[in-house]
Every structure is written in structure tokens, then in C-alpha cells.
């Protein structure tokens, strides 16, 4: 709590290079530049959705359907939507797009935002039912000789299992 997390991590990385724990060239090579560019592009998009009122409009459209539901059901709905969106776009982009919606929903329903945000973060990483859901999935399609149906057969049950686990376990560690 002495420093903001971003500053502490940056200082630790610099200290590792200065102490010669890591060579500068290795530190540079270990950066996933695709993720940096993706986040750099998605942050302005998420901010634009917030500024233009698109996020508020989405929350206004969804909130009446969620009002009166238990917080766990709200978490389940948000986790399901996040996981579904993650089937078409990357998990990082999914989390960046859905997190502001989750935050606004938590505010409008007057529940703690942490369980919803954690549900979004975990659910964004559970999209294994398509080869396009993750760069890792895409990379193994050709070398492994996989078909689209192979991802559905294995990925869908795993995805559902982890969504159930998310809905059951997140409120234990992050109460509403």
C-alpha cells in the first residue's frame, strides 16, 4: 500500500534489470507486444463507449431484467455473457469491454462490484469452445489437425464447468 501497484511493478522490473537478474534484451523479448497493442487499442474503445453513453444505454436496457434477481444470478448472467462474447474476440478485449458494464450494473443494483468484476475477469478466460476464441487455440489448429467441432466437444463442457465454478466460488472470496 505504499505505492500504486503500477509504479511498484515498474520499479521492481527496473530493479531486476539493474541487479542483473534479467538481461535487458530478455526483458524486452518477454513483452507480449500483441497484448500491449490490443490493450492500447481497447482502452480508448472502452472509454469511448463510456463517454458516448453506449455503456449507460446497455446497462439501462439490461438492468430492468436483472432487478430483483439475487446477486448470484446477476453474476451468472454476466459471466455467461462475458464467456459468450469471448468466443468471438480475445479474452483481454472481452474483459475490457464488459468490465465497465459490470461496474455500472453493480452500482445500479447497489451490490459490491468486486464479485461481478472478478466474474468478468475469470469468465473472459473461459472461451475454449472455438478456435478463434484465443490466439493459443488458433495456433494449434493446423499443427494438431483439429477441426472446429473438436473445440466444441472438449471446450464447451470445460467452459460450462468453469462458469459454474466461477458463480459458486467467486462470492465466497468476494462477497456481495
Amino acid at each position: 500500500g505504499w505505492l500504486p501497484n503500477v509504479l511498484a511493478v515498474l520499479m521492481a522490473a527496473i530493479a531486476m534489470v539493474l541487479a542483473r537478474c534479467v538481461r535487458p534484451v530478455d526483458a524486452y523479448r518477454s513483452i507480449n507486444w500483441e497484448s500491449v497493442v490490443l490493450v492500447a487499442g481497447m482502452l480508448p474503445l472502452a472509454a469511448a463507449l463510456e463517454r458516448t453513453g453506449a455503456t449507460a444505454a446497455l446497462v439501462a436496457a439490461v438492468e430492468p431484467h436483472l432487478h430483483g434477481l439475487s446477486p448470484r444470478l446477476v453474476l451468472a448472467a454476466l459471466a455467461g455473457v462475458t464467456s459468450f462474447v469471448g468466443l468471438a474476440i480475445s479474452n483481454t478485449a472481452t474483459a475490457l469491454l464488459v468490465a465497465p458494464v459490470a461496474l455500472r450494473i453493480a452500482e445500479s443494483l447497489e451490490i459490491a462490484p468486486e464479485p461481478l468484476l472478478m466474474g468478468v475477469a475469470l469468465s473472459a478466460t473461459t472461451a475454449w469452445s472455438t478456435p478463434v476464441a484465443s490466439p493459443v487455440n488458433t495456433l494449434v489448429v493446423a499443427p494438431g489437425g483439429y477441426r472446429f467441432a473438436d473445440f466444441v466437444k472438449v471446450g464447451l463442457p470445460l467452459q460450462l464447468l468453469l462458469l459454474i465454478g466461477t458463480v459458486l466460488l467467486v462470492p465466497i472470496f468476494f462477497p456481495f
Side-chain angles (χ1 to χ4, degrees), residues 77-146:
L78 203 54
V81 167
T82 303
S83 185
F84 180 75
V85 170
L87 293 175
I89 61 176
S90 80
N91 57 356
T92 307
T94 300
L96 284 171
L97 291 174
V98 180
V101 174
L103 185 60
R104 296 289 281 282
I105 287 173
E107 289 171 356
S108 71
L109 297 177
E110 297 178 354
I111 59 175
E114 290 85 0
L116 297 186
L117 292 172
M118 187 54 69
V120 166
L122 292 171
S123 300
T125 65
T126 63
W128 297 306
S129 301
T130 68
V132 297
S134 164
V136 175
N137 291 5
T138 306
L139 286 173
V140 300
V141 171
Y146 297 117

Side-chain angles (χ1 to χ4, degrees), residues 9-172:
V9 169
L10 182 60
M11 289 174 59
I14 292 170
M16 288 177 58
V17 171
L18 292 175
R20 299 178 192 237
C21 297
V22 177
R23 296 182 325 171
V25 69
D26 293 333
Y28 182 79
R29 267 193 237 140
S30 70
I31 297 172
N32 184 341
W33 290 108
E34 292 168 352
S35 294
V36 171
V37 170
L38 178 67
V39 170
M42 293 309 295
L43 286 174
L45 177 61
L49 290 172
E50 185 69 32
R51 282 194 195 114
T52 60
T55 302
L58 180 61
V59 171
V62 171
E63 196 264 337
H65 302 290
L66 300 176
H67 213 67
L69 294 179
S70 74
R72 195 177 294 266
L73 283 176
V74 173
L75 173 63
L78 203 54
V81 167
T82 303
S83 185
F84 180 75
V85 170
L87 293 175
I89 61 176
S90 80
N91 57 356
T92 307
T94 300
L96 284 171
L97 291 174
V98 180
V101 174
L103 185 60
R104 296 289 281 282
I105 287 173
E107 289 171 356
S108 71
L109 297 177
E110 297 178 354
I111 59 175
E114 290 85 0
L116 297 186
L117 292 172
M118 187 54 69
V120 166
L122 292 171
S123 300
T125 65
T126 63
W128 297 306
S129 301
T130 68
V132 297
S134 164
V136 175
N137 291 5
T138 306
L139 286 173
V140 300
V141 171
Y146 297 117
R147 295 171 302 150
F148 193 93
D150 296 329
F151 284 89
V152 175
K153 279 190 259 183
V154 174
L156 187 59
L158 185 58
Q159 190 169 343
L160 292 173
L161 180 68
L162 287 170
L163 285 173
I164 291 168
T166 296
V167 172
L168 293 176
L169 295 175
V170 164
I172 293 170

